[in-house]
Amino acid sequence: MKKPNAPALSLRVPEPSGRPGDAPDFSHIKLDAPGAVDRPAVSTAPFDMRDHAFMLVRVLDDQGHAVGPWDPKLDPETLRRGLKAMILTRAFDDRMHRAHRQGKTSFYMKCTGEEAIAVAQGMILNREDMGFPTYRQQGLLIARGYPLVEMMNQIYSNAADPIKGRQLPIMYSSKEYGFFTISGNLGTQVPQAVGWAMASAYKGDDKIAIAWIGDGATAEGDFHNALTFAAVYRAPVILNVVNNQWAISSFMGIAGGLETTFASKAIGYGLPALRVDGNDFLAVWAATQWAEERARTNQGATVIELFTYRGAPHSTSDDPSRYRPGDEHEKWPLGDPVERLKQHLIQLGEWSEEQQTAAEADAVEQVRAAGKESEAIGTLGQSRPSVKTMFEEVYATEDWRLVEQRREVGV
């Protein structure tokens, strides 16, 4: 029975700060100044660095200077390699998005605005370490020199598809390059990464794992199960939450992003957490380097929230103009990762606008040449892996049923 004068209950449904037609509003975002967040020792107990889950590690200021204790002090050549890899990733994205519009593939997903994350982390870790990516870590492969032609063959599902038609376009896979095949249900990547890391530690190996999921997937049970195992067994793994503000058409508040930071979810599991400017190449590098050292010295897992913005549609099946202001990406307060690293190199006297133009032209030419080679093999429906490949690499030993199925198909 309702108590007298008791208010009626109401359900709160979080709403984003802007919808189509509204002016972008990021006034609710509180940013620490570049260089303001202290850098704890790698051996710091998680309890003693809880505040880092609520602060934002930044290195590059508005003028392109690297400031503060998190500055990794990278040499100019490393910075140039990172910038060129980001430029190439963006050029690859642009061409493959056009390829979808031309009917050459069934699906594509861009990583516009998030290039610094995959490129920096792909450069830091070894190929022998295993990455469990989302569908916006194409920069991981590109930074490590994986052939663009192979990526395109997989996207086109043509006869040279390295995965032989067994995955959706953009869900690459390469053990040699430390790239575990992508799972469309992203939450599953986290327990798989933790399990892989636990196995490495159990064997007394020296390899670590790293995983990426979006902000939305932190609301899934897989994420929380993985954090329990990572904490209890001190798994040598880096767990990245790429908070790009949008999980398909649901904004980050639906996953709890208005109540607290995603990094703070680590606190309840006794894990260290860092919250990092994901559009700052140097900040991403420094935080990942910190977590890597912790993992390699048997101090366990680290959760990193990478604060960024998904500039492009969720996928080629998505129209973001239906759920957010059209120019919201341009107004993102942390800017563009490519422009920010370019500005830093120019400020150092190690880059110029002319070199930037040349690098962009070279990236477009690399992608064009790879596209020509891949499309000669075939685009969607023009060629495909042999039917017989679906019987291969499935079972270690063929039994009579597989032999019979081969016979029925005629291969």
Coordinates of all heavy atoms in Angstrom, one line a residue, residues 224-274:
H224 N 33.0 -7.7 -16.6 CA 33.2 -7.8 -15.2 C 33.8 -9.2 -14.8 O 34.6 -9.2 -13.8 CB 31.8 -7.5 -14.5 CG 31.4 -6.1 -14.8 ND1 31.7 -5.1 -14.0 CD2 30.6 -5.6 -15.8 CE1 31.2 -4.0 -14.5 NE2 30.5 -4.3 -15.5
N225 N 33.4 -10.2 -15.5 CA 34.0 -11.5 -15.2 C 35.5 -11.5 -15.5 O 36.3 -12.0 -14.7 CB 33.4 -12.6 -16.1 CG 31.9 -12.8 -15.8 OD1 31.4 -12.5 -14.7 ND2 31.2 -13.3 -16.8
A226 N 35.9 -10.8 -16.5 CA 37.3 -10.7 -16.9 C 38.1 -9.9 -15.9 O 39.2 -10.3 -15.5 CB 37.4 -10.1 -18.3
L227 N 37.5 -8.9 -15.3 CA 38.2 -8.1 -14.3 C 38.4 -8.9 -13.0 O 39.5 -8.7 -12.4 CB 37.4 -6.8 -14.0 CG 37.9 -5.5 -14.7 CD1 37.9 -5.7 -16.2 CD2 37.1 -4.3 -14.3
T228 N 37.5 -9.7 -12.7 CA 37.7 -10.6 -11.5 C 38.9 -11.5 -11.7 O 39.7 -11.6 -10.9 CB 36.4 -11.4 -11.3 OG1 35.3 -10.5 -11.0 CG2 36.6 -12.4 -10.1
F229 N 38.9 -12.2 -12.8 CA 40.0 -13.1 -13.1 C 41.3 -12.4 -13.2 O 42.4 -12.8 -12.7 CB 39.7 -13.9 -14.4 CG 38.9 -15.1 -14.1 CD1 37.5 -15.0 -14.0 CD2 39.4 -16.4 -14.0 CE1 36.7 -16.1 -13.8 CE2 38.6 -17.5 -13.8 CZ 37.3 -17.4 -13.6
A230 N 41.3 -11.2 -13.9 CA 42.6 -10.4 -14.0 C 43.1 -10.0 -12.7 O 44.4 -10.1 -12.5 CB 42.3 -9.2 -14.9
A231 N 42.2 -9.6 -11.8 CA 42.7 -9.2 -10.5 C 43.2 -10.4 -9.6 O 44.2 -10.3 -9.0 CB 41.6 -8.4 -9.8
V232 N 42.4 -11.4 -9.6 CA 42.7 -12.5 -8.7 C 44.0 -13.2 -9.1 O 44.8 -13.6 -8.2 CB 41.5 -13.6 -8.7 CG1 41.9 -14.9 -8.0 CG2 40.3 -13.0 -8.0
Y233 N 44.2 -13.4 -10.4 CA 45.4 -14.2 -10.8 C 46.5 -13.3 -11.3 O 47.5 -13.7 -11.9 CB 44.9 -15.1 -11.9 CG 44.0 -16.2 -11.4 CD1 42.6 -16.1 -11.6 CD2 44.5 -17.3 -10.7 CE1 41.7 -17.0 -11.1 CE2 43.6 -18.2 -10.2 CZ 42.2 -18.1 -10.4 OH 41.4 -19.0 -9.9
R234 N 46.3 -11.9 -11.2 CA 47.4 -11.0 -11.6 C 47.8 -11.3 -13.0 O 49.0 -11.4 -13.4 CB 48.6 -11.0 -10.7 CG 48.3 -10.4 -9.3 CD 49.5 -10.2 -8.5 NE 49.2 -9.6 -7.2 CZ 50.1 -9.4 -6.2 NH1 51.4 -9.7 -6.4 NH2 49.8 -8.9 -5.1
A235 N 46.8 -11.4 -13.9 CA 47.1 -11.7 -15.3 C 47.9 -10.5 -15.9 O 47.6 -9.3 -15.7 CB 45.8 -11.9 -16.1
P236 N 48.9 -10.8 -16.7 CA 49.7 -9.8 -17.4 C 49.0 -9.3 -18.6 O 49.3 -9.7 -19.8 CB 51.0 -10.5 -17.7 CG 50.6 -12.0 -17.9 CD 49.5 -12.2 -17.0
V237 N 48.1 -8.4 -18.4 CA 47.2 -7.9 -19.5 C 46.9 -6.4 -19.3 O 46.8 -5.9 -18.2 CB 45.9 -8.8 -19.6 CG1 45.1 -8.6 -18.3 CG2 45.1 -8.4 -20.8
I238 N 46.7 -5.7 -20.4 CA 46.3 -4.3 -20.5 C 44.9 -4.3 -21.0 O 44.6 -4.8 -22.1 CB 47.2 -3.5 -21.3 CG1 48.7 -3.6 -20.8 CG2 46.7 -2.0 -21.3 CD1 49.7 -2.9 -21.8
L239 N 43.9 -3.8 -20.3 CA 42.5 -3.8 -20.6 C 42.1 -2.4 -21.0 O 42.0 -1.5 -20.1 CB 41.7 -4.3 -19.5 CG 42.1 -5.8 -19.1 CD1 41.3 -6.2 -17.9 CD2 41.8 -6.8 -20.2
N240 N 41.9 -2.1 -22.3 CA 41.6 -0.7 -22.7 C 40.1 -0.6 -22.9 O 39.4 -1.5 -23.6 CB 42.2 -0.5 -24.1 CG 43.7 -0.4 -24.0 OD1 44.3 0.5 -23.3 ND2 44.4 -1.4 -24.6
V241 N 39.5 0.5 -22.4 CA 38.1 0.8 -22.7 C 38.2 2.1 -23.5 O 38.6 3.2 -23.1 CB 37.3 1.1 -21.4 CG1 35.9 1.6 -21.7 CG2 37.3 -0.1 -20.5
V242 N 37.8 1.9 -24.8 CA 37.9 3.1 -25.7 C 36.5 3.8 -25.6 O 35.5 3.4 -26.2 CB 38.1 2.6 -27.2 CG1 38.2 3.8 -28.1 CG2 39.4 1.8 -27.3
N243 N 36.6 4.8 -24.8 CA 35.3 5.6 -24.6 C 35.2 6.7 -25.7 O 35.7 7.8 -25.5 CB 35.4 6.3 -23.2 CG 34.1 7.2 -22.9 OD1 33.2 7.2 -23.7 ND2 34.2 7.9 -21.9
N244 N 34.6 6.3 -26.8 CA 34.5 7.2 -27.9 C 33.1 7.9 -27.9 O 32.7 8.4 -29.0 CB 34.8 6.5 -29.2 CG 33.8 5.3 -29.5 OD1 32.8 5.2 -28.9 ND2 34.2 4.5 -30.5
Q245 N 32.4 7.8 -26.8 CA 31.2 8.6 -26.5 C 29.9 7.9 -27.1 O 28.8 8.2 -26.6 CB 31.2 10.0 -27.0 CG 32.5 10.8 -26.7 CD 32.8 10.8 -25.2 OE1 31.9 11.1 -24.4 NE2 34.0 10.4 -24.8
W246 N 30.1 7.0 -28.1 CA 28.9 6.4 -28.7 C 29.1 4.9 -28.9 O 30.1 4.5 -29.5 CB 28.6 7.1 -30.0 CG 28.1 8.5 -29.9 CD1 28.9 9.6 -29.9 CD2 26.8 8.9 -29.6 NE1 28.1 10.7 -29.7 CE2 26.8 10.3 -29.5 CE3 25.6 8.2 -29.4 CZ2 25.7 11.1 -29.2 CZ3 24.4 9.0 -29.1 CH2 24.5 10.4 -29.0
A247 N 28.1 4.1 -28.5 CA 28.1 2.7 -28.8 C 26.9 2.5 -29.8 O 25.8 2.5 -29.4 CB 27.8 1.8 -27.5
I248 N 27.3 2.4 -31.0 CA 26.3 2.5 -32.1 C 25.5 3.8 -31.9 O 26.1 4.8 -31.9 CB 25.4 1.2 -32.2 CG1 26.3 -0.1 -32.2 CG2 24.6 1.2 -33.5 CD1 25.5 -1.4 -32.3
S249 N 24.2 3.7 -31.7 CA 23.4 4.9 -31.5 C 23.1 5.3 -30.1 O 22.4 6.2 -29.8 CB 22.1 4.8 -32.3 OG 21.3 3.7 -31.8
S250 N 23.7 4.5 -29.1 CA 23.5 4.7 -27.7 C 24.7 5.5 -27.2 O 25.8 5.0 -27.3 CB 23.3 3.4 -27.0 OG 22.2 2.7 -27.4
F251 N 24.4 6.6 -26.5 CA 25.6 7.4 -26.0 C 26.1 6.7 -24.7 O 25.5 5.9 -24.1 CB 25.2 8.8 -25.8 CG 24.6 9.2 -24.5 CD1 25.2 10.0 -23.6 CD2 23.3 8.6 -24.1 CE1 24.6 10.4 -22.4 CE2 22.8 9.0 -22.9 CZ 23.4 9.8 -22.0
M252 N 27.3 7.2 -24.3 CA 28.0 6.5 -23.2 C 27.2 6.5 -21.9 O 27.5 5.6 -21.0 CB 29.4 7.1 -23.1 CG 29.5 8.6 -22.8 SD 29.2 9.0 -21.1 CE 29.1 10.8 -21.3
G253 N 26.3 7.4 -21.7 CA 25.5 7.4 -20.5 C 24.7 6.2 -20.3 O 24.4 5.8 -19.1
I254 N 24.3 5.5 -21.3 CA 23.5 4.3 -21.2 C 24.3 3.2 -20.5 O 23.8 2.3 -19.9 CB 23.0 3.8 -22.6 CG1 22.0 4.9 -23.2 CG2 22.2 2.5 -22.5 CD1 20.8 5.2 -22.3
A255 N 25.6 3.2 -20.7 CA 26.5 2.3 -20.0 C 27.1 2.7 -18.7 O 27.9 2.1 -18.1 CB 27.7 1.9 -21.0
G256 N 26.5 3.9 -18.2 CA 27.0 4.3 -16.9 C 28.0 5.5 -16.9 O 28.5 5.8 -15.9
G257 N 28.2 6.0 -18.1 CA 29.3 7.1 -18.2 C 29.0 8.4 -17.5 O 29.9 9.2 -17.4
L258 N 27.7 8.6 -17.2 CA 27.4 9.9 -16.5 C 27.5 9.7 -15.0 O 27.7 10.7 -14.3 CB 25.9 10.3 -16.8 CG 25.6 10.6 -18.3 CD1 24.1 11.0 -18.4 CD2 26.5 11.7 -18.8
E259 N 27.4 8.5 -14.5 CA 27.6 8.3 -13.0 C 29.0 8.4 -12.6 O 29.3 8.8 -11.5 CB 27.0 6.9 -12.7 CG 25.5 6.9 -12.5 CD 24.7 7.4 -13.7 OE1 25.0 6.8 -14.8 OE2 23.9 8.3 -13.6
T260 N 29.9 7.9 -13.4 CA 31.3 7.8 -13.0 C 32.1 7.6 -14.3 O 31.6 7.5 -15.4 CB 31.6 6.6 -12.0 OG1 32.9 6.7 -11.5 CG2 31.3 5.3 -12.6
T261 N 33.4 7.5 -14.2 CA 34.3 7.3 -15.3 C 34.3 5.7 -15.6 O 34.1 4.9 -14.6 CB 35.7 7.8 -15.1 OG1 36.3 7.0 -14.0 CG2 35.7 9.2 -14.7
F262 N 34.6 5.4 -16.8 CA 34.8 3.9 -17.0 C 36.0 3.4 -16.4 O 36.1 2.2 -16.0 CB 34.8 3.7 -18.6 CG 33.4 4.0 -19.2 CD1 33.2 5.2 -19.9 CD2 32.4 3.1 -19.0 CE1 32.0 5.4 -20.4 CE2 31.1 3.4 -19.6 CZ 30.9 4.5 -20.3
A263 N 37.0 4.2 -16.2 CA 38.3 3.7 -15.6 C 38.0 3.3 -14.1 O 38.6 2.4 -13.6 CB 39.3 4.8 -15.6
S264 N 37.0 4.0 -13.5 CA 36.8 3.8 -12.1 C 36.1 2.4 -11.8 O 36.1 1.9 -10.7 CB 35.9 4.9 -11.5 OG 34.6 4.8 -12.0
K265 N 35.7 1.8 -12.9 CA 35.1 0.4 -12.7 C 36.2 -0.5 -12.2 O 35.9 -1.6 -11.7 CB 34.5 -0.1 -14.0 CG 33.3 0.7 -14.5 CD 32.7 0.2 -15.8 CE 31.5 1.1 -16.3 NZ 30.3 0.9 -15.5
A266 N 37.4 -0.2 -12.5 CA 38.5 -1.1 -12.0 C 38.7 -1.1 -10.5 O 39.2 -2.0 -9.9 CB 39.8 -0.7 -12.7
I267 N 38.3 0.0 -9.9 CA 38.6 0.2 -8.4 C 38.0 -0.9 -7.6 O 38.6 -1.5 -6.7 CB 38.1 1.6 -8.0 CG1 39.0 2.7 -8.6 CG2 38.2 1.7 -6.4 CD1 38.5 4.1 -8.3
G268 N 36.7 -1.3 -7.9 CA 36.1 -2.3 -7.2 C 36.7 -3.7 -7.3 O 36.4 -4.6 -6.4
Y269 N 37.6 -3.9 -8.2 CA 38.2 -5.1 -8.4 C 39.7 -5.1 -7.9 O 40.4 -6.1 -8.1 CB 38.2 -5.5 -9.9 CG 36.8 -5.8 -10.4 CD1 36.1 -4.7 -11.0 CD2 36.2 -7.0 -10.3 CE1 34.8 -4.9 -11.4 CE2 34.9 -7.2 -10.8 CZ 34.2 -6.2 -11.3 OH 32.9 -6.4 -11.7
G270 N 40.1 -4.0 -7.4 CA 41.4 -3.9 -6.9 C 42.5 -3.8 -7.9 O 43.6 -4.1 -7.8
L271 N 42.1 -3.2 -9.1 CA 43.0 -3.0 -10.2 C 43.4 -1.6 -10.3 O 42.5 -0.7 -10.1 CB 42.4 -3.5 -11.5 CG 42.2 -5.0 -11.6 CD1 41.3 -5.3 -12.9 CD2 43.5 -5.8 -11.7
P272 N 44.6 -1.3 -10.8 CA 45.0 0.1 -11.1 C 44.3 0.6 -12.3 O 44.0 -0.2 -13.3 CB 46.5 0.1 -11.3 CG 46.7 -1.3 -11.8 CD 45.7 -2.2 -11.1
A273 N 43.9 1.9 -12.4 CA 43.2 2.5 -13.5 C 43.8 3.8 -13.9 O 44.2 4.6 -13.1 CB 41.8 2.6 -13.2
L274 N 43.9 4.0 -15.2 CA 44.3 5.3 -15.8 C 43.3 5.8 -16.7 O 42.6 5.0 -17.4 CB 45.7 5.2 -16.5 CG 46.9 4.8 -15.7 CD1 48.1 4.5 -16.6 CD2 47.2 5.8 -14.7

